[in-house]
Amino acid sequence: MKIRRMLVALVLGAGVMLGAPGPADAAATTVSYRMAASWGLGFQAQLTVTPSAAVTSWTIEFDLAAQQVVTAAFFADFTQTGQHVVLSNRPFNGAVPAGGALSLGIQVGNPGLINVPPGAFTFNGQPATYTPEPYLLASIARVQIPEGGTVSFNVRISQIPVSPIVVELGGGDASQAVVVTPRQLTFSNNPRFWNLPQTVVVTRLDDPGANGQSVFIPITQWNGKPGYAMEAVIADLIG
C-alpha cells in the first residue's frame, strides 16, 4: 500500500512539473523594423524593441537579405557574419525596463537593390514577436536607357493593404533626365485585385550631355496606413 501511494504521489508530482509555465509561455519581446530612408544602393532602417522583462544588457540578432551589409549602427555596436547581424548595447543603453521602448537604427549597403525585410528577430537569444513590414517591389532594380529610349517595369506590393494606397514615383533628380509615367500608382485592398502589378514607363530625354549619369527613381507611399517600405530603381543613361 505504501509503495502504491508513493507511485501515485510521484505521478501527480510529475504532472504538476510538466504543467508549470516555462519561458515560452511568457509574453515575448516585440520588435518592429521600418525602412526610414532609401537611396537605391543603400537605406536606413529603424528598429523599435519592447522587452517583455527588464534587462541590463541585450543583443538583437537577425538575417539581412542577400548582399545587404550593415555599414553603421546608431545606439548599438554591431557585427555581421555572412548575412547574420548581431546588435549589442552600448554602455549607456544596456538597461531597459519591461515594456520600455528601445530605439535603434542601422545603415545598410544594398548593391543588389533588394527590398525585402528580415524574416525574424531574436532578443537575448529568445524569439521575438515580429511581423515583417509590407514592402513595394519593382520587377527590375537597375536598367540602362539610351538617349531617346524607353523602358517599362512593374511594381507590386508584398501583401494586401489594409486600405487602398497611393504610391508616388519619381521626384528628386528623376525629372531632370527622364520622364516617369504615371507619377502615381494606386493599389487596391480588394482581395481579387490587390496583387495586380502596376506598369511604369521611363522615357529618356534627348540630352547627350546626360550620358554616363545614373538616375535614382524613388517609389514611395505617401498616404494610407500602415506604411509600406519604399523601393527604388536606378536608370543608367548610356549613349
Side-chain angles (χ1 to χ4, degrees), residues 160-173:
I160 186 169
V162 175
S163 59
I165 68 165
V166 175
V167 171
E168 182 174 311
L169 294 97
D173 63 355

Side-chain angles (χ1 to χ4, degrees), residues 189-203:
N189 64 338
N190 186 310
R192 295 178 57 190
F193 306 116
W194 72 269
N195 59 351
L196 292 178
Q198 308 280 327
T199 301
V200 178
V201 177
V202 182
T203 302

Side-chain angles (χ1 to χ4, degrees), residues 28 84 129 140 186 191 217 239:
H84 189 71
T129 296
I140 59 174
T186 300
I217 304 172

Side-chain angles (χ1 to χ4, degrees), residues 74-94:
F74 311 103
F75 308 112
D77 292 323
F78 74 93
T79 60
Q80 180 170 352
T81 304
Q83 299 312 121
H84 189 71
V85 178
V86 179
L87 303 178
S88 56
N89 64 275
R90 302 294 299 277
F92 61 85
N93 64 352

Side-chain angles (χ1 to χ4, degrees), residues 35-101:
M35 189 179 292
S38 173
W39 50 95
L41 294 174
F43 61 86
Q44 288 186 356
Q46 180 74 30
L47 287 79
T48 303
V49 183
T50 304
S52 59
V55 297
T56 56
S57 63
W58 48 262
T59 58
I60 303 166
E61 300 185 48
F62 56 95
D63 292 328
L64 288 174
Q67 301 184 51
Q68 293 181 351
V69 178
V70 176
T71 58
F74 311 103
F75 308 112
D77 292 323
F78 74 93
T79 60
Q80 180 170 352
T81 304
Q83 299 312 121
H84 189 71
V85 178
V86 179
L87 303 178
S88 56
N89 64 275
R90 302 294 299 277
F92 61 85
N93 64 352
V96 185

